[in-house]
Amino acid sequence: MKKKILIIFFILSFLYILWPFINIYKFYVAVKKSDIEFFTNNINWQSLRSGFKDDLEIIIDKKIGKKKNIEKQLLKTLLGNSLIEIILEEIVSPENIVLLLNDPKKYNEMLKKEIDNPKINKKKKNIKKEKFNFKGPNLKRIREKVNYVFFINLNTFRIDFNHDGYPIKVDLKFTPFKWRLYKIYLPVDLLVSKL
């Protein structure tokens, strides 16, 4: 009886450990296919926006830090929370998350334009779905790009990788019976240096 319980426990533990890896693969395929619907349904948007808001405030502070004192005060007065919210609405969307993960350089350009010239009520971009053909894992490339991929606690899984010279960390969090993208840590210092 104890042996059966141990076997069941081992199988369930193995499946729980394997589950986020399967979800990472699904996210990877969704990025390559530009599957906006998948991202819409598998991201915790509130926590993602909150994390991006923190990063965006740091980016704007550092960008303002390069200005003279009078310009700093004027820009800080003008750049209130409402402007940050407008920028967040534009940069934290399923289309732009796909852009960030597919082409960080274009995302950086879009971020720079949005910080310099935020606009209300922009038209949503239509991204057409791409076809994806699985060619098999390139283990050498995976080892070169991925720094860390495993649990950081029982309900949070992290993948830390480099993409086109940009270090990106992504957390998946287990919510009732589903792993969802919870937070993307932007390389703030690198982004500021390129703005």
Side-chain angles (χ1 to χ4, degrees), residues 129-162:
K129 271 190 170 181
E130 302 288 329
K131 289 185 179 180
F132 175 72
N133 295 323
F134 183 72
K135 298 173 185 165
N138 183 340
L139 295 178
K140 183 181 177 193
R141 188 158 188 249
I142 290 171
R143 274 185 273 150
E144 288 172 358
K145 292 186 101 175
V146 176
N147 302 320
Y148 180 85
V149 58
F150 204 66
F151 290 88
I152 55 174
N153 61 40
L154 279 176
N155 70 337
T156 308
F157 191 87
R158 176 169 291 166
I159 179 166
D160 179 349
F161 60 98
N162 293 313

Side-chain angles (χ1 to χ4, degrees), residues 24-36:
I24 288 172
Y25 175 73
K26 288 179 182 178
F27 273 99
Y28 174 75
V29 171
V31 167
K32 294 301 177 188
K33 289 170 66 176
S34 297
D35 187 353
I36 302 305

Side-chain angles (χ1 to χ4, degrees), residues 91 96 106-114 125:
I91 65 172
N96 286 330
K106 279 188 184 175
Y107 184 85
N108 190 29
E109 290 169 13
M110 183 274 306
L111 183 62
K112 182 178 179 179
K113 287 178 190 171
E114 192 59 36
K125 300 170 204 127

Side-chain angles (χ1 to χ4, degrees), residues 110-126:
M110 183 274 306
L111 183 62
K112 182 178 179 179
K113 287 178 190 171
E114 192 59 36
I115 288 173
D116 289 341
N117 188 19
K119 293 178 185 159
I120 301 172
N121 298 329
K122 287 187 180 178
K123 287 183 180 177
K124 288 286 183 194
K125 300 170 204 127
N126 288 329

Side-chain angles (χ1 to χ4, degrees), residues 31-81:
V31 167
K32 294 301 177 188
K33 289 170 66 176
S34 297
D35 187 353
I36 302 305
E37 186 178 331
F38 179 85
F39 276 86
T40 302
N41 298 326
N42 289 285
I43 292 178
N44 182 329
W45 291 102
Q46 183 178 2
S47 66
L48 189 67
R49 280 192 176 94
S50 174
F52 270 79
K53 182 177 182 180
D54 296 341
D55 291 344
L56 187 60
E57 286 173 351
I58 293 169
I59 289 169
I60 289 173
D61 257 2
K62 288 189 177 195
K63 186 168 174 149
I64 290 172
K66 295 177 184 176
K67 308 281 183 193
K68 295 178 184 169
N69 282 340
I70 297 170
E71 290 175 342
K72 275 187 203 178
Q73 294 303 320
L74 187 61
L75 283 171
K76 280 190 179 182
T77 305
L78 294 174
L79 291 175
N81 276 340

